[in-house]
Amino acid sequence: MRWRLAGVATRRNGWVADADGLNPIAILNGHFPSSTGPQPQNFREWLERSRADVLFETSSLDAQTGQPAIDHIRTALELGAHAITANKGPIVHAFRELAALAQQVKKQFLYEATVMDGTPIFSVFPMGLPATELRGFTGVLNSTTNVVLTEVEKGRSFAEAIRRAQALGVAETDPTADLDGWDATVKVAALAIVLMGVPVKLEQIQRTGIRELSEEKIRSCRAAGMRYKLVCRAERRGEGVDCSVKPELLLAGDPLANLEGTSSAIRFDLDVFGLSIVEHNPGIDATGYGLLADFVRAVKIP
Amino acid sequence: MRWRLAGVATRRNGWVADADGLNPIAILNGHFPSSTGPQPQNFREWLERSRADVLFETSSLDAQTGQPAIDHIRTALELGAHAITANKGPIVHAFRELAALAQQVKKQFLYEATVMDGTPIFSVFPMGLPATELRGFTGVLNSTTNVVLTEVEKGRSFAEAIRRAQALGVAETDPTADLDGWDATVKVAALAIVLMGVPVKLEQIQRTGIRELSEEKIRSCRAAGMRYKLVCRAERRGEGVDCSVKPELLLAGDPLANLEGTSSAIRFDLDVFGLSIVEHNPGIDATGYGLLADFVRAVKIP
């Protein structure tokens, strides 16, 4: 498989496109090339100039609108490029439209990196598990709350635990989206929409963050062999699906109770058996790997 | 997807083939059709008469030779049928030959049901995890020893525990292959051969069964928060792979320690992250599902 980097668009360093190829090592070392010719006026112009076969969409999540990622992906597919994203917004707000467009233009719209990094979740369905019915799932899908709860168990205050998660590079500068359960809620929606075929809205998901938990209670439960985790649940109910994200007290023997650090896990309840997938101790490169894996799947000769 | 049953070959009820189709419900209800015309003289004649597009090979395991399953699969591929098996023997003794033959005749040779029933293990590689290196794996892959160890923990003797596993339909009448670690050893070999590309021989795998464990020690460890499990390990070492099957004492927090009943689990050590897959409480239909899933994968329009 051969590739070249035909364009880079960043928030801070500007946009550059060259269909003949850019030097990725130079860019990684901080030498952002100065543009030749007039600057592209918008995303479409930039992508046209790159003549890219594949777009990697890694803009920040806007949970309320899914933009601008939706427009980026739509434009890529319209221009005949595969669209690969690590952004959950387009799944939650425009999955059917983008999947239909991809099918129409015979390009791939792939998003494995949106949940549990590069772990095969979306890729396992349908061909890993054909002819099954997915009745629901249970998961621990947010690393920041995992790290924070573990640190509080060890005796730190919430504030200290959050600083520790930030120092580890797990929590963002503003940890609100994680602590209030937004990140997990968006993941639940993405999984239910794609894997269960139900167009769940974020406001239909019951959401409780971990801020209201008592530090004392977290520690006393831990001493008694139980652990709080921010648990994600979805259960098919008629045509719809009941979803929730909330702190739950788990027995120590529960596989979800033993997750530490950046590890995450999901259990799928299938008609034929239960199936759990656990990702152990991924680093930031695991998300990059998810994009790479989608790239290989998109361009492989079938 | 439409299908018809073109032949059945059994140890007890004889062999029948009809390319126009047999009635599976009648056969399941004990009405084995009397053959029209002369009986087929051998496997090839029977399969030719069926004109099958797909063979399901479910003969019993012969761990030492892999026969007669290898001959059955070879014949099916030669006659232009996809070959799907739940028998580990052909993987351990003839994987390269059969995989090469399948590629040559452009038919599928699939074997998902051989390890962890229908759980996607072989199916996850390579396209669920492209561009990764598998460094090794750890698993609990044998249900009988799992059930027996749990029953001994609860206070039963080994003999009683084995009878209990037999009553549950988990252990065979002769539980030797399970208790002495043979079943697990064959699974380790199959995984190492297919997923790690190393032609491991059964005699190269260090194998210790659970018979030598003391009932007293199993119970006292359980009381102290630890559990014995028959653990399967493989670790890449240069061009080869070090493999073992032996009872190991696991901490209660270890995901492998919490497996009960027919559940099994495997953890893959990949260069990019660790990935565990757990199958919860499968019944006997889970093996059937593995064959069905391979069938869908074999005949699907790509």
Side-chain angles (χ1 to χ4, degrees):
Chain A
M1 219 172 261
R2 292 185 313 163
W3 59 274
R4 64 177 185 275
L5 180 67
V8 180
T10 74
R11 199 181 316 196
R12 294 204 187 89
N13 297 318
W15 298 27
V16 64
D18 185 340
D20 292 330
L22 298 160
N23 182 340
I25 305 298
I27 293 174
L28 286 170
N29 285 326
H31 304 289
F32 203 83
S34 49
S35 185
T36 55
Q39 273 283 74
Q41 292 304 299
N42 54 43
F43 181 83
R44 181 179 288 265
E45 266 190 41
W46 167 79
L47 193 59
E48 279 177 330
R49 200 175 297 176
S50 76
R51 299 210 302 271
D53 298 310
V54 180
L55 169 75
F56 295 94
E57 213 296 325
T58 61
S59 62
S60 300
L61 172 67
D62 181 325
Q64 297 313 316
T65 69
Q67 292 290 14
I70 295 171
D71 286 343
H72 295 168
I73 291 168
R74 192 189 290 121
T75 304
L77 293 170
E78 285 170 357
L79 293 178
H82 300 296
I84 294 171
T85 187
N87 187 322
K88 296 174 280 291
I91 311 292
V92 173
H93 293 284
F95 177 67
R96 287 194 179 180
E97 179 211 325
L98 296 174
L101 176 58
Q103 193 164 29
Q104 186 193 319
V105 301
K106 295 191 171 59
K107 294 292 163 184
Q108 300 282 318
F109 165 45
L110 299 174
Y111 35 80
E112 190 61 271
T114 57
V115 178
M116 289 175 71
D117 308 307
T119 311
I121 300 293
F122 297 111
S123 310
V124 165
F125 296 85
M127 270 309 143
L129 292 160
T132 49
E133 187 201 323
L134 180 58
R135 294 175 175 168
F137 59 82
T138 311
V140 171
L141 301 173
N142 177 266
S143 301
T144 297
T145 51
N146 230 358
V147 171
V148 167
L149 290 169
T150 302
E151 295 298 321
V152 171
E153 286 173 346
K154 288 180 188 164
R156 288 190 164 86
S157 69
F158 260 108
E160 287 168 342
I162 291 164
R163 280 195 294 276
R164 177 104 180 111
Q166 286 166 333
L168 288 171
V170 176
E172 311 214 20
T173 315
D174 175 5
T176 307
D178 290 324
L179 300 180
D180 290 346
W182 276 113
D183 173 72
T185 298
V186 176
K187 284 175 176 161
V188 168
L191 290 164
I193 288 167
V194 176
L195 300 181
M196 302 179 78
V198 181
V200 180
K201 301 277 178 211
L202 293 182
E203 55 270 25
Q204 295 169 327
I205 299 176
Q206 188 195 329
R207 178 183 53 80
T208 308
I210 65 166
R211 289 192 211 249
E212 305 300 310
L213 291 174
S214 129
E215 293 171 8
E216 212 44 58
K217 181 127 190 251
I218 291 169
R219 285 175 210 132
S220 62
C221 288
R222 176 58 164 158
M226 293 176 286
R227 304 187 79 181
Y228 274 106
K229 293 285 176 190
L230 186 66
V231 176
C232 303
R233 291 188 185 274
E235 194 180 341
R236 206 181 280 280
R237 187 87 68 185
E239 297 293 293
V241 54
D242 279 358
C243 299
S244 66
V245 171
K246 57 179 194 290
E248 293 188 23
L249 201 51
L250 303 176
L251 289 170
D254 190 312
L256 296 179
N258 294 304
L259 296 170
E260 303 287 352
T262 60
S263 298
S264 55
I266 189 161
R267 174 181 167 142
F268 293 109
D269 296 314
L270 299 158
D271 50 354
V272 67
F273 43 61
L275 173 70
S276 291
I277 298 178
V278 186
E279 182 186 28
H280 301 275
N281 307 316
I284 184 69
D285 54 341
T287 303
Y289 170 71
L291 296 166
L292 172 67
D294 275 347
F295 174 70
V296 175
R297 285 186 281 261
V299 304
K300 75 175 194 292
I301 292 136
Chain B
M1 220 172 257
R2 291 184 313 161
W3 58 273
R4 64 177 185 274
L5 181 67
V8 180
T10 74
R11 200 182 315 198
R12 294 204 187 89
N13 296 318
W15 298 27
V16 64
D18 185 339
D20 293 329
L22 298 160
N23 182 341
I25 305 296
I27 292 174
L28 286 169
N29 284 326
H31 304 288
F32 203 84
S34 50
S35 186
T36 54
Q39 273 284 76
Q41 293 304 299
N42 54 42
F43 181 83
R44 180 179 288 265
E45 266 190 41
W46 167 79
L47 192 59
E48 279 177 329
R49 200 176 298 177
S50 76
R51 300 211 301 272
D53 298 308
V54 180
L55 170 74
F56 295 94
E57 214 295 325
T58 60
S59 63
S60 299
L61 172 66
D62 181 326
Q64 298 312 317
T65 68
Q67 292 290 14
I70 294 171
D71 286 343
H72 294 168
I73 292 168
R74 193 190 289 122
T75 303
L77 292 170
E78 286 170 356
L79 293 177
H82 300 296
I84 295 170
T85 187
N87 186 323
K88 298 173 279 288
I91 311 292
V92 173
H93 294 283
F95 177 68
R96 288 194 178 180
E97 178 211 325
L98 296 174
L101 177 58
Q103 193 164 29
Q104 184 193 321
V105 302
K106 296 191 170 57
K107 294 292 163 185
Q108 300 282 317
F109 166 44
L110 299 174
Y111 36 79
E112 190 61 88
T114 57
V115 178
M116 290 176 69
D117 308 305
T119 310
I121 300 293
F122 298 112
S123 309
V124 165
F125 296 85
M127 269 309 143
L129 293 161
T132 48
E133 187 201 323
L134 180 58
R135 294 175 174 168
F137 59 83
T138 312
V140 171
L141 300 173
N142 178 266
S143 301
T144 297
T145 50
N146 229 358
V147 171
V148 167
L149 289 169
T150 302
E151 295 298 320
V152 172
E153 285 174 347
K154 289 180 188 165
R156 289 191 164 87
S157 70
F158 260 108
E160 287 167 341
I162 291 164
R163 280 195 295 276
R164 177 103 181 112
Q166 287 166 332
L168 287 171
V170 177
E172 311 214 21
T173 316
D174 175 5
T176 307
D178 290 323
L179 299 180
D180 290 346
W182 276 113
D183 172 73
T185 298
V186 176
K187 284 175 176 162
V188 168
L191 290 165
I193 289 167
V194 176
L195 300 181
M196 302 180 78
V198 180
V200 180
K201 301 276 179 214
L202 293 182
E203 54 271 26
Q204 295 169 326
I205 299 176
Q206 187 194 330
R207 179 184 53 79
T208 309
I210 65 166
R211 288 191 213 251
E212 304 301 309
L213 292 175
S214 129
E215 294 171 8
E216 212 45 58
K217 181 125 190 252
I218 291 169
R219 283 175 212 135
S220 62
C221 287
R222 176 58 165 157
M226 292 176 288
R227 305 186 77 180
Y228 275 106
K229 294 286 175 188
L230 186 67
V231 176
C232 303
R233 290 189 185 273
E235 193 180 342
R236 206 181 279 280
R237 188 86 69 185
E239 297 292 293
V241 54
D242 279 359
C243 299
S244 67
V245 171
K246 57 179 194 290
E248 294 188 23
L249 200 51
L250 303 176
L251 289 170
D254 191 312
L256 295 180
N258 294 304
L259 295 171
E260 303 288 351
T262 60
S263 299
S264 54
I266 189 160
R267 174 181 166 143
F268 293 110
D269 296 315
L270 299 158
D271 49 355
V272 68
F273 43 62
L275 173 70
S276 290
I277 298 177
V278 186
E279 181 186 29
H280 302 275
N281 307 314
I284 184 69
D285 53 341
T287 302
Y289 170 71
L291 296 166
L292 171 67
D294 275 348
F295 174 70
V296 175
R297 285 187 281 261
V299 305
K300 75 175 191 292
I301 294 136

